[in-house]
Amino acid sequence: MNILEATKIRKSYGSKLNRQEVLKGIDISIQKGEFVSIMGASGSGKTTLLNVLSTIDHVSEGIIQINGSEMTQMKEKQLAEFRKYHLGFIFQEYNLLDTLTVKENILLPLSITKLPKQEAEDKFSALARELGILDIAHKYPNEISGGQKQRTSAARAFIHEPSIIFADEPTGALDSKSASDLLNKLSELNRQRLATIAMVTHDPTAASFCSRVIFIKDGQVYTQLHKGNQSRKTFFEDIIKTQGVLGGVQNEH
């Protein structure tokens, strides 16, 4: 079952006289329970693609369906309502509220629902334990490490069991150990909870944790790699080879 289907996605910026087409008719589908990475060189359109798929930005043309609902036909108020229940986000810079504790930050998405308090507590405890942050529940963001902040951000994205989670360079601000810890936890949650994750990354190590990598070049899908039964090491080497053909993948601003 496809959680996300994007058909003939185009995105342009600027006026008619000075128009820049960033996405040029992309087709993408993501199945329930997939952990998909989107990669591409700087300027390839990968971040723009994530932004339109996640409804942060609007497409110029094309259709995006998430869980059977068509995003491109929704008004802003409908989109906001849809995001609350069906989308989760993990950002590079964490986006935690400094005045709230780790626990309060994680429970934010549930505060708008009518979930009984005890049920919310149970969800929090289970998720925080899985992500190894239960012992810092009552600390504030300025009292914890970058890795702990990102795992808090991940817990907030997972807590309301959204249809799909969008992760934008989630390891970009982390050291290698913290990045590896986070990716291992995301992989576990992906497997155990059948969570669907779409992640933009420039890092082949991060991408090797995924089940599929979509490479974007010049606003179009260039190629895709499927992990299948390969080891993560072998998949990593395949990703590196494809990057070499693409001319390298750098940070996109």
Side-chain angles (χ1 to χ4, degrees):
M1 173 190 168
N2 286 338
I3 284 291
L4 183 147
E5 287 189 43
T7 310
K8 294 182 171 46
I9 297 303
R10 293 182 179 273
K11 179 64 182 178
S12 301
Y13 294 99
S15 62
K16 286 183 180 178
L17 296 174
N18 185 24
R19 199 168 191 79
Q20 182 189 8
E21 192 175 30
V22 181
L23 302 179
K24 303 170 183 177
I26 285 180
D27 292 337
I28 281 180
S29 62
I30 297 174
Q31 291 188 329
K32 179 173 174 57
E34 264 200 299
F35 188 177
V36 177
S37 175
I38 299 169
M39 301 188 80
S42 179
S44 62
K46 66 183 187 294
T47 298
T48 301
L49 177 60
L50 189 81
N51 287 344
V52 297
L53 292 179
S54 63
T55 75
I56 289 172
D57 201 357
H58 297 286
V59 295
S60 301
E61 288 179 38
I63 295 170
I64 297 170
Q65 290 186 317
I66 296 177
N67 217 16
S69 297
E70 193 175 327
M71 304 292 97
T72 38
Q73 294 299 313
M74 287 187 186
K75 301 271 192 287
E76 202 53 54
K77 192 175 179 182
Q78 291 173 301
L79 277 175
E81 198 66 18
F82 187 88
R83 285 187 205 110
K84 285 180 192 175
Y85 296 98
H86 294 280
L87 306 185
F89 296 91
I90 306 172
F91 299 100
Q92 182 175 333
E93 298 300 332
Y94 322 125
N95 283 24
L96 300 176
L97 297 177
D98 292 334
T99 55
L100 299 182
T101 63
V102 164
K103 182 178 181 179
E104 288 165 344
N105 267 288
I106 292 169
L107 286 171
L108 260 183
L110 295 183
S111 65
I112 54 166
T113 69
K114 294 177 180 176
L115 199 69
K117 189 177 179 184
Q118 189 55 53
E119 203 173 324
E121 286 283 339
D122 292 345
K123 277 179 178 284
F124 164 76
S125 297
L127 195 51
R129 191 175 290 109
E130 284 178 81
L131 283 159
I133 51 176
L134 192 57
D135 60 332
I136 59 164
H138 299 294
K139 290 192 174 184
Y140 288 88
N142 66 352
E143 299 175 315
I144 62 177
S145 70
Q148 290 169 327
K149 286 178 185 176
Q150 197 57 300
R151 279 181 276 150
T152 299
S153 177
R156 182 184 56 192
F158 278 90
I159 192 75
H160 59 303
E161 298 173 12
S163 301
I164 186 167
I165 291 164
F166 294 100
D168 186 6
E169 299 280 11
T171 61
L174 304 178
D175 60 60
S176 57
K177 185 186 181 303
S178 297
S180 182
D181 287 347
L182 174 72
L183 290 161
N184 275 311
K185 295 294 185 187
L186 290 180
S187 294
E188 285 172 23
L189 290 168
N190 165 248
R191 287 193 304 270
Q192 293 166 7
R193 294 175 175 242
L194 285 181
T196 309
I197 307 169
M199 174 177 74
V200 157
T201 184
H202 68 280
D203 181 3
T205 302
S208 70
F209 281 82
C210 299
S211 53
R212 178 164 58 111
V213 181
I214 301 168
F215 289 89
I216 305 296
K217 182 179 182 181
D218 299 329
Q220 295 178 309
V221 174
Y222 174 76
T223 190
Q224 301 186 44
L225 294 179
H226 292 264
K227 187 175 186 179
N229 295 319
Q230 294 180 94
S231 67
R232 195 165 68 77
K233 183 176 182 292
T234 305
F235 194 42
F236 169 80
E237 289 165 356
D238 285 350
I239 294 166
I240 290 287
K241 285 176 192 169
T242 306
Q243 276 189 318
V245 174
L246 279 169
V249 178
Q250 307 137 22
N251 272 305
E252 183 172 61
H253 300 285

